[in-house]
Amino acid sequence: MSLHHVVFGTYFRRNVIPLQYRRELYNYMAGIAKNIRCEIWEAGGISDHVHILLRLHQDVALSFAVARIKQSSSRWMGENPHFPKWEKWAGEYYAGSFSYKDIDTARHYVTTQDEHHLGRDFMSELQNLIEKSGLTWYPDPELDPDNTDPMK
């Protein structure tokens, strides 16, 4: 079993996840994960993105798990009247692994997203996560429609 912090945003960062229905969404995602022998230990986010702490089963590829969670939740949200402005998730996602010893810190980070985003938008947060992981930041026009040129 491996642990991953996964983040994905709404299409064009639209604010389409109402506060009062976020827990319902996270519970649905947890059910999807369970169906593929994985487990969401924690979920959080704001109106334009979701963070999940995913415990991945040894026989399940991370890309498969994230795709299944995104596809199934997107279909469900599209059919659910609690998400009337829903379109779809952006195509990309961030995933970083972390250690069991860091679980409390990761849980706190994920569950305090409302507080965390008082001073930082989603794109700044995502860029920071990617750069802290030692990766290169390439903007995605579905996530950041104002910055479509990766060479800027």
Side-chain angles (χ1 to χ4, degrees):
M1 298 281 188
S2 57
L3 299 175
H4 300 275
H5 176 194
V6 179
V7 184
F8 46 91
T10 61
Y11 186 62
F12 283 115
R13 290 187 342 243
R14 294 192 175 114
N15 297 315
V16 295
I17 306 172
L19 174 62
Q20 65 269 36
Y21 299 115
R22 289 181 198 158
R23 183 58 41 202
E24 183 180 350
L25 170 62
Y26 305 151
N27 289 338
Y28 187 81
M29 289 178 167
I32 297 164
K34 186 176 179 181
N35 287 339
I36 58 171
R37 299 175 298 165
C38 297
E39 184 179 0
I40 292 179
W41 278 7
E42 203 64 69
I46 60 172
S47 62
D48 68 350
H49 72 279
V50 169
H51 291 252
I52 58 174
L53 299 182
L54 180 66
R55 190 173 103 182
L56 197 62
H57 187 275
Q58 63 197 20
D59 296 333
V60 178
L62 177 63
S63 59
F64 173 82
V66 173
R68 180 62 59 91
I69 291 167
K70 287 175 65 179
Q71 290 166 355
S72 296
S73 65
S74 185
R75 188 175 316 112
W76 176 78
M77 291 168 76
E79 297 170 355
N80 189 320
H82 293 157
F83 303 92
K85 296 180 181 180
W86 180 252
E87 292 180 73
K88 63 182 180 177
W89 296 112
E92 303 298 325
Y93 64 91
Y94 164 84
S97 61
F98 64 96
S99 166
Y100 282 94
K101 70 179 177 66
D102 297 324
I103 190 69
D104 290 335
T105 301
R107 279 187 162 147
H108 178 74
Y109 181 78
V110 167
T111 59
T112 58
Q113 284 295 298
D114 284 326
E115 177 184 314
H116 177 76
H117 281 284
L118 291 175
R120 174 181 280 174
D121 67 7
F122 173 51
M123 293 311 296
S124 298
E125 176 187 35
L126 191 57
Q127 185 172 359
N128 186 44
L129 284 171
I130 289 169
E131 290 173 353
K132 274 186 170 180
S133 299
L135 302 172
T136 302
W137 170 251
Y138 294 105
D140 180 334
E142 289 181 2
L143 290 173
D144 190 2
D146 300 325
N147 186 7
T148 57
D149 183 357
M151 302 310 286
K152 284 186 179 178

